[in-house]
Amino acid sequence: LRVRSLFESPYDGRAKLWVVARSLALRRQHPGLFAVGKYQGVAVKGARENHVVAFRRVREEDGVLVVAGRLFASLGLPAGALPLGEPWGDTKVDASFLPSGTRVENVLTGETLVVDGDALDVGALFREFPGALLHFITPPSAER
C-alpha cells in the first residue's frame, strides 16, 4: 500500500483505519511497551510548533515516538494541498533522548530514519503522511 494513496478519498476513513491498524499491530508486537511503558510529552519547536503534538513511550530499551500533525486548516495551504514535507519549515521534534545513530522505523510508512543530532525534522517525518509512529530500540545503557 502506498500511504499517500490514502489521501485520494480523504473523507472515506481509510487513513484513520490505516493508522489504527498499524498502531494495534505494533502494540501486539510490543505489549509490554504499551502496557507499562513510561509516557512523556515531547517538545516541538519551530514556526509550526502549534500544529504538531508529540509524545514518547519507553520501556527499557524499547520505545515509540508518536508525532501527529493537527489544525491543518489553519496552516494556510491552498485548498486540496496535503500538509506534507515543505510546509512544516523549520519545525522540529526533540530527539535528544535518542543517541545519535539510533535507527527509528516509521511504522506508518515503512521508512527507516537514523537520528543525527538532537532533533527530527517534521517535514522529513511528514514526507508521505502527516503523522509518524516511530519505533526504536536504544542500547540498554543509553540515557532516556
Side-chain angles (χ1 to χ4, degrees):
L1 172 72
R2 267 190 43 247
V3 175
R4 204 174 275 206
S5 71
L6 296 172
F7 296 107
E8 292 169 1
S9 300
Y11 304 108
D12 69 1
R14 288 186 304 147
K16 185 176 184 177
L17 287 173
W18 176 251
V19 170
V20 170
R22 299 302 301 152
S23 300
L24 289 173
L26 182 63
R27 188 172 79 174
R28 274 191 306 278
Q29 294 169 355
H30 302 271
L33 172 62
F34 289 89
V36 296
K38 182 174 147 187
Y39 171 91
Q40 293 180 319
V42 173
V44 179
K45 299 290 181 198
R48 305 282 189 168
E49 67 187 48
N50 292 330
H51 295 271
V52 179
V53 62
F55 70 89
R56 66 181 168 143
R57 186 174 288 276
V58 178
R59 178 175 183 236
E60 298 169 3
E61 69 277 353
D62 197 11
V64 66
L65 171 61
V66 178
V67 184
R70 65 188 206 110
L71 307 171
F72 297 139
S74 62
L75 282 172
L77 300 176
L82 297 175
L84 304 175
E86 210 172 284
W88 297 100
D90 68 346
T91 308
K92 298 193 182 305
V93 176
D94 177 31
S96 61
F97 58 91
L98 292 171
S100 190
T102 300
R103 297 172 61 84
V104 295
E105 178 196 358
N106 187 337
V107 174
L108 300 179
T109 64
E111 296 171 285
T112 298
L113 305 166
V114 177
V115 175
D116 181 22
D118 61 356
L120 295 170
D121 182 73
V122 173
L125 294 177
F126 291 3
R127 184 178 24 248
E128 296 293 323
F129 193 84
L133 177 58
L134 304 170
H135 180 251
F136 57 87
I137 305 290
T138 58
S141 62
E143 184 179 324
R144 286 186 225 342

